[in-house]
Amino acid sequence: MTKWVYRFGDGTAEGRAEMKDLLGGKGAGLAEMSNLGLPVPPGFTITTGVCTHFYAHGKSYPAELREQVAEGLAAIERLLGARFGDADNPLLVSVRSGARVSMPGLMDTVLNLGLNDQAVAGLARRSGDERFAYDSHRRFIQMYGQVVLGIENHFEELLENHKLDTGVTLDTDLSAEDWRTIVAGFKDLVAQELGHPFPEEPQEQLWGAIGAVFGSWMNPRAVTYRRLHDIPADWGTAVNVQAMVFGNMGPDCATGVAFTRNPSTGANEFYGEYLVNAQGEDVVAGIRTPQHLTIAGKQASRLALPAMEEVMPEVLAELYQVRRTLEDHYRDMQDIEFTVQRGKLWMLQTRSGKRTAQAALKIAVSLVEEGVIHRDEAVRRIEPASLDQLLHPMLDPTANTTVLTRGLPASPGAASGQVVFSADEAESLAVRGEAVILVRIETSPEDIHGMHAAKGVLTTRGGMTSHAAVVARGMVRPCIAGTGDLRADYAARTMTARNIVMKAGEIITIDGSTGEVMIGAVPTIQPELSGDFATLMDWADAIRGMKVRANAETVVDTSMARRFGAEGIGLSRTEHMFFEADRIGAMRRVIMAEDETGRRAGLAELLPIQREDFAEIFRIMKGFPVTIRLLDPPLHEFLPKTEAEFGEMARLTGKSVGAIRQRAVALHETNPMLGHRGCRLGITYPEIYEMQAAAIFEAAVAVTQEIGKPVAPEIMVPLIATKKEFDILKAIIDRVGRKVLEGAGVSVPYLVGTMIELPRAALRAGEVAETAEFFSFGTNDLTQTVFGLSRDDAASFIGAYQRLGILEHDPFVTLDVAGVGELVRIAAERGRATRPGLKLGICGEHGGDPASIRFCHAVGLDYVSCSPYRVPIARLAAAQAKLSGDLRDGTA
Ligand code: ADP
Ligand code: MG
Ligand code: MG
């Protein structure tokens, strides 16, 4: 017979913490606390298996369930000496939903179930507190009415009317008689709405609530939440039925919530709130101001209301014990719920507490220092992507803030500034040194200069992929998009939310990591790269096998890459070096020239500029390897396009406008991404690569002499399809290298290798490796060519593809293991079969994506390379990949 019901309470339990899948998070936590001997009101958990059965069998229960629930209930009754539905000593229970992971959208908890007109009288007699009994009854009808019977909330209205009639303002001033009248009113309301009376029979109440929990698993809110968070529908929810304990029985009663450590800073201090004479959710409902547990907490928040430490010192002492027990046991920060009934503490929930990225770091590092967990465990516990929050300037977590509104956290980081409503205004104020936040309904390409000038961007419309969001992320500007209730009025130069009007020039602060818009300037703090962050990164570095490099070519990015711990440059693109205003002219002359002499003249102008570009990178990298990719963009992009450009070109070259136009037309490409680009340009215009090689070697010689140790250039030929292409170009590079190095009498340990970004190159990797000294997987282009899909165009339908299940991930974010990954694996194997020890890396954007990094580790790459901001993320992800790989081969 299948076991559908697991009991807990009285110092034992049939379940355990590890049984989350079956019991849900709440059920597993209650069982575990019971096993630990903590005071948990007795109860039982109906498993997630019942939920699965429910939906597989036309919303019906397994045959044995009724009997098992009856036994569970009887066990509670025996323990407490009370009886469900009894007129003299009634057992009351709560019915609580609980999936594996906490899931908004599921049914809310119903408290005080089992009350009816007879039972409430018994409860009043037994407790000696009529007022409490009738207050509990009305709470039950209200909760059950809303949550199980689906009655809209007219209950509060009725309550308010009664208070007006009797001239009472506080709930606590209502008498037993008042509550009795209100209960009658509530019941009438239910009868009216439902067409039949409120269920008085406790068994009917119980099964109604159980059915409502299972039913809520498929309600639209829950379904949406699961879709957004990748939670499978077949997990199901469990139902917990638990004896009630009462925090609303008088001044020696209370209810509260606490974190065993500070969830925003991670400090090892008890952090919690409670309310005297209250039940359940009153603490979070915001009707009354909750009080702090500790005097320290009370002082920090400048609250006058007494701390539990002052009012119920023995209870707090006991809570400290519980905190100790739970942390020792779970070896992690816990989030707990408790109730105090007439001075006795009862535990109602424990789970691993949600925390900020900063707190997560501090807690993990502290737990290692306290000897509670191993370093490996600390490294495993930090979500790599969460580090992103720490690398941008962030708001001082101790600052007091007033939130104006919330939107989507579209680009991380925080910024304060004056509100401006146009890009031009943003720019003109920024020029004067003012900090501004650009507020727009939405942005378009005409706003780019304003976005650039602003410290942050806020749009009232749009989502995570809106123009504002995408551009802001690219510019590393904080951005909040889609602040639904905020209205921007360009004409009046105001924005309004919740009846608060803010004018242009007033200061706001936006937090692009949380989506919060705050009034005034909130102080920010610079990312903390020392302390706990540095400690954890050191541990990660000691674990990981793969190196981490950065994709960077500017001085700013290269320096940042070093600061974030990059061990070299994995991709330095040379095209920006040709597109800058002072260079594009010379480059165009090269392309438009009809013969080699003409080309060489243009290139001679570019050589010293290129040399200095490379020298700067070598200087910053101080001997770490620097992969330089030779010119890659389509020829097309260098062509003059407008009549004005034709004229300018004609003037520069002394040719006729007609001749220029003709040549531009001749070189025009219909599909430039698949056209005359990469090494094909190097083959047809060898002078270009020759010049670049000379610039690299000359810079390497100069910087080697300057810093007194050899620099390590790795020269990369892009877009090869055949070995022959590579061989021709490698011969040119080696010839230039010999000439420069011998001439200078300096030895530079350089490598010449290739980017593997076309399927043919991946398949022919065995022969390519005969001459290529390294491979770097260019997975952006490899993904484009494998899928036959351009990265920019993919955005318009990848979302739909994911929803339909055609693709699990966006292949331009997370490496497609089945297709692109297979080619990477083949190329790695074939390359290394020819040349053992062939250096392998990845320089596509996947190099900064934790899931893709796991794959890179599995196929044995030597390094991953990613954007500078992602370097710490990659360092951590590489360590985690190593740890889970070790677990799989049993070496750990
Ligand atoms: P949520 O998942 O929304 O926190 P819970 O099931 O934990 O819902 O319950 C909501 C509130 O009711 C919490 O404050 C909880 O502590 C309280 N509560 C639940 N069961 C009981 C009970 N048996 N006795 C007293 N309070 C309870
Ligand atoms: Mg709870
Ligand atoms: Mg490419």
Side-chain angles (χ1 to χ4, degrees):
M1 194 170 79
T2 315
K3 188 168 172 53
W4 304 107
V5 168
Y6 285 71
R7 290 181 222 161
F8 57 81
D10 202 32
T12 61
E14 294 176 328
R16 290 189 318 278
E18 296 73 37
M19 293 165 69
K20 264 193 189 170
D21 293 359
L22 191 64
L23 304 180
K26 207 174 278 168
L30 288 166
E32 195 71 2
M33 287 198 293
S34 247
N35 284 326
L36 289 170
L38 297 178
V40 176
F44 57 85
T45 304
I46 303 173
T47 68
T48 56
V50 174
C51 190
T52 311
H53 181 286
F54 184 76
Y55 284 105
H57 295 86
K59 302 199 179 172
S60 69
Y61 298 119
E64 314 88 348
L65 185 66
R66 281 197 180 257
E67 197 187 320
Q68 294 187 17
V69 166
E71 283 165 9
L73 209 53
I76 307 177
E77 290 176 334
R78 273 196 307 279
L79 278 172
L80 300 181
R83 287 182 61 88
F84 200 46
D86 197 72
D88 176 45
N89 187 12
L91 167 68
L92 304 187
V93 296
S94 62
V95 176
R96 319 169 64 184
S97 57
R100 285 191 213 182
V101 292
S102 133
M103 228 187 81
L106 290 188
M107 189 200 84
D108 291 326
T109 294
V110 175
L111 302 178
N112 312 329
L113 187 139
L115 276 177
N116 55 28
D117 290 341
Q118 282 80 49
V120 73
L123 183 66
R125 264 196 311 279
R126 284 263 162 183
S127 64
D129 188 343
E130 262 205 302
R131 194 194 163 280
F132 149 76
Y134 287 99
D135 175 33
S136 300
H137 196 189
R138 72 90 196 176
R139 284 176 189 262
F140 167 58
I141 297 172
Q142 184 168 356
M143 273 187 267
Y144 196 91
Q146 285 170 9
V147 168
V148 179
L149 305 176
I151 294 172
E152 292 292 315
N153 191 5
H154 297 299
F155 294 107
E156 285 299 327
E157 239 171 86
L158 236 146
L159 176 58
E160 287 310 311
N161 287 341
H162 184 87
K163 284 202 261 181
L164 282 178
D165 291 348
T166 51
V168 165
T169 46
L170 287 177
D171 280 13
T172 38
D173 291 337
L174 290 169
S175 67
E177 201 39 52
D178 288 324
W179 286 123
R180 211 199 301 263
T181 316
I182 292 165
V183 164
F186 278 11
K187 282 197 180 174
D188 287 347
L189 174 70
V190 171
Q192 259 171 39
E193 295 271 324
L194 231 56
H196 55 81
F198 185 87
E200 284 280 291
E201 220 294 295
Q203 285 291 339
E204 186 188 344
Q205 295 172 356
L206 178 65
W207 285 98
I210 293 171
V213 174
F214 288 134
S216 72
W217 182 252
M218 284 298 173
N219 80 29
R221 262 178 67 203
V223 171
T224 306
Y225 185 86
R226 283 200 292 275
R227 182 162 56 67
L228 292 175
H229 293 85
D230 278 336
I231 299 172
D234 61 10
W235 278 10
T237 179
V239 182
N240 301 286
V241 177
Q242 186 177 25
M244 282 303 299
V245 286
F246 300 98
N248 56 334
M249 256 188 195
D252 54 353
C253 302
T255 184
V257 296
F259 289 90
T260 57
R261 298 185 187 219
N262 186 315
S264 63
T265 65
N268 190 358
E269 63 201 14
F270 203 15
Y271 183 93
E273 295 177 330
Y274 78 108
L275 272 180
V276 174
N277 199 4
Q279 192 168 50
E281 307 232 287
D282 294 358
V283 180
V284 281
I287 313 170
R288 282 161 60 192
T289 311
Q291 298 159 236
H292 278 267
L293 291 186
T294 61
I295 296 174
K298 166 184 141 177
Q299 285 166 347
S301 67
R302 298 194 192 86
L303 266 181
L305 294 166
M308 183 180 257
E309 197 172 346
E310 297 162 286
V311 188
M312 304 178 176
E314 314 79 33
V315 175
L316 185 70
E318 204 186 331
L319 262 179
Y320 265 106
Q321 293 284 332
V322 169
R323 168 186 186 235
R324 185 64 195 266
T325 306
L326 287 176
E327 274 219 350
D328 284 353
H329 183 70
Y330 282 100
R331 302 181 309 125
D332 196 10
M333 188 259 265
Q334 296 292 297
D335 168 357
I336 59 176
E337 290 177 6
F338 59 89
T339 282
V340 181
Q341 176 176 331
R342 302 216 158 132
K344 166 139 183 58
L345 174 70
W346 292 99
M347 295 308 300
L348 291 167
Q349 192 167 332
T350 188
R351 59 183 162 193
S352 157
K354 285 221 165 56
R355 58 204 84 180
T356 62
Q358 195 199 2
L361 267 183
K362 165 143 244 82
I363 290 169
V365 171
S366 310
L367 288 174
V368 172
E369 285 162 356
E370 292 161 25
V372 178
I373 59 172
H374 188 266
R375 287 175 180 196
D376 291 358
E377 178 62 26
V379 165
R380 235 185 245 121
R381 280 190 188 177
I382 306 298
E383 170 63 45
S386 75
L387 294 181
D388 207 34
Q389 291 174 36
L390 302 174
L391 302 174
H392 300 271
M394 55 181 179
L395 297 178
D396 184 344
T398 64
N400 283 322
T401 58
T402 313
V403 175
L404 175 68
T405 182
R406 280 189 178 76
L408 297 167
S411 174
S416 304
Q418 295 180 35
V419 172
V420 296
F421 293 101
S422 81
D424 290 343
E425 200 183 348
E427 196 176 49
S428 62
L429 284 171
V431 169
R432 284 192 266 140
E434 311 268 3
V436 299
I437 304 289
L438 177 61
V439 178
R440 301 285 297 166
I441 296 169
E442 50 204 349
T443 62
S444 69
E446 289 87 75
D447 297 319
I448 300 271
H449 62 295
M451 297 177 74
H452 196 81
K455 297 283 180 214
V457 180
L458 172 60
T459 65
T460 59
R461 279 199 210 132
M464 302 287 286
T465 56
S466 64
H467 177 265
V470 174
V471 173
R473 284 197 291 270
M475 287 183 179
V476 199
R477 292 283 181 288
C479 175
I480 296 174
T483 51
D485 64 338
L486 183 79
R487 281 201 6 259
D489 184 338
Y490 293 156
R493 306 200 338 122
T494 59
M495 60 179 192
T496 313
R498 298 189 299 130
N499 292 323
I500 300 172
V501 181
M502 302 227 21
K503 298 198 215 52
E506 290 188 300
I507 308 282
I508 58 167
T509 299
I510 63 171
D511 184 344
S513 312
T514 63
E516 280 177 346
V517 182
M518 287 149 283
I519 300 173
V522 179
T524 57
I525 49 180
Q526 275 307 307
E528 185 58 76
L529 298 185
S530 57
D532 298 326
F533 177 85
T535 306
L536 193 96
M537 292 316 281
D538 283 349
W539 294 341
D541 290 348
I543 292 167
R544 70 185 154 90
M546 284 190 298
K547 300 257 183 232
V548 175
R549 300 190 190 180
N551 298 346
E553 48 268 332
T554 65
V555 171
V556 173
D557 284 357
T558 311
S559 313
M560 192 181 334
R562 270 304 296 142
R563 209 163 74 84
F564 286 153
E567 301 154 297
I569 297 295
L571 175 63
S572 184
R573 302 172 179 89
T574 53
E575 30 283 1
H576 86 280
M577 303 170 177
F578 292 87
F579 284 121
E580 271 169 32
D582 56 333
R583 310 164 186 201
I584 181 97
M587 191 56 199
R588 280 191 177 149
R589 250 168 304 157
V590 172
I591 301 292
M592 303 303 284
E594 261 137 46
D595 55 16
E596 197 185 316
T597 333
R599 284 195 291 272
R600 285 194 183 277
L603 287 167
E605 280 177 54
L606 288 169
L607 175 65
I609 309 180
Q610 277 265 274
R611 193 191 315 140
E612 196 40 38
D613 289 334
F614 298 138
E616 274 182 325
I617 298 174
F618 291 147
R619 264 181 217 118
I620 298 167
M621 279 295 144
K622 296 200 173 68
F624 280 113
V626 175
T627 304
I628 295 169
R629 178 178 70 186
L630 301 179
L631 192 67
D632 181 51
L635 178 61
H636 186 89
E637 291 183 18
F638 293 108
L639 301 178
K641 293 182 184 66
T642 62
E643 282 302 318
E645 285 170 349
F646 293 153
E648 167 78 2
M649 204 63 229
R651 199 177 53 72
L652 278 171
T653 53
K655 290 192 192 122
S656 73
V657 174
I660 296 291
R661 193 184 298 114
Q662 209 176 8
R663 180 125 174 98
V665 169
L667 294 177
H668 174 84
E669 292 178 315
T670 42
N671 200 342
M673 290 312 287
L674 299 177
H676 197 174
R677 59 175 286 213
C679 70
R680 298 161 196 169
L681 267 180
I683 298 275
T684 48
Y685 301 107
E687 310 79 24
I688 300 177
Y689 279 12
E690 227 172 80
M691 180 279 284
Q692 289 196 292
I696 294 169
F697 287 114
E698 288 172 14
V701 165
V703 177
T704 296
Q705 287 169 333
E706 213 177 289
I707 66 176
K709 65 175 175 184
V711 302
E714 298 184 351
I715 302 172
M716 181 154 77
V717 180
L719 211 79
I720 70 143
T722 73
K723 173 179 191 292
K724 193 82 191 153
E725 287 169 318
F726 180 75
D727 289 348
I728 292 172
L729 295 168
K730 180 169 190 291
I732 296 175
I733 296 163
D734 283 336
R735 176 166 49 70
V736 173
R738 253 191 322 276
K739 199 173 123 210
V740 174
L741 299 182
E742 278 166 16
V746 171
S747 101
V748 168
Y750 75 93
L751 300 178
V752 183
T754 184
M755 200 146 163
I756 302 288
E757 53 189 331
L758 294 177
R760 191 184 194 286
L763 294 171
R764 306 308 298 173
E767 63 194 32
V768 175
E770 284 167 18
T771 40
E773 292 159 325
F774 69 85
F775 288 168
S776 175
F777 292 99
T779 48
N780 293 350
D781 273 1
L782 197 53
T783 303
Q784 298 204 96
T785 48
V786 163
F787 278 92
L789 169 64
S790 112
R791 187 150 163 255
D792 298 334
D793 298 338
S796 61
F797 65 90
I798 287 286
Y801 262 46
Q802 282 176 268
R803 274 194 299 284
L804 291 168
I806 300 171
L807 288 174
E808 210 174 311
H809 309 283
D810 178 343
F812 292 103
V813 175
T814 296
L815 191 109
D816 163 62
V817 170
V820 178
E822 196 56 22
L823 284 171
V824 169
R825 191 192 301 277
I826 287 170
E829 281 167 11
R830 293 185 184 168
R832 281 197 172 145
T834 304
R835 185 187 287 265
L838 174 72
K839 201 182 235 189
L840 298 174
I842 180 174
C843 62
E845 237 141 278
H846 303 102
D849 169 65
S852 312
I853 291 171
R854 221 175 301 136
F855 173 81
C856 294
H857 174 82
V859 294
L861 299 196
D862 295 298
Y863 68 87
V864 297
S865 188
C866 55
S867 80
Y869 265 110
R870 296 196 78 83
V871 165
I873 296 170
R875 286 161 69 194
L876 181 56
Q880 291 181 350
K882 175 81 171 18
L883 287 173
S884 55
D886 286 354
L887 274 183
R888 258 199 315 279
D889 1 293
T891 52

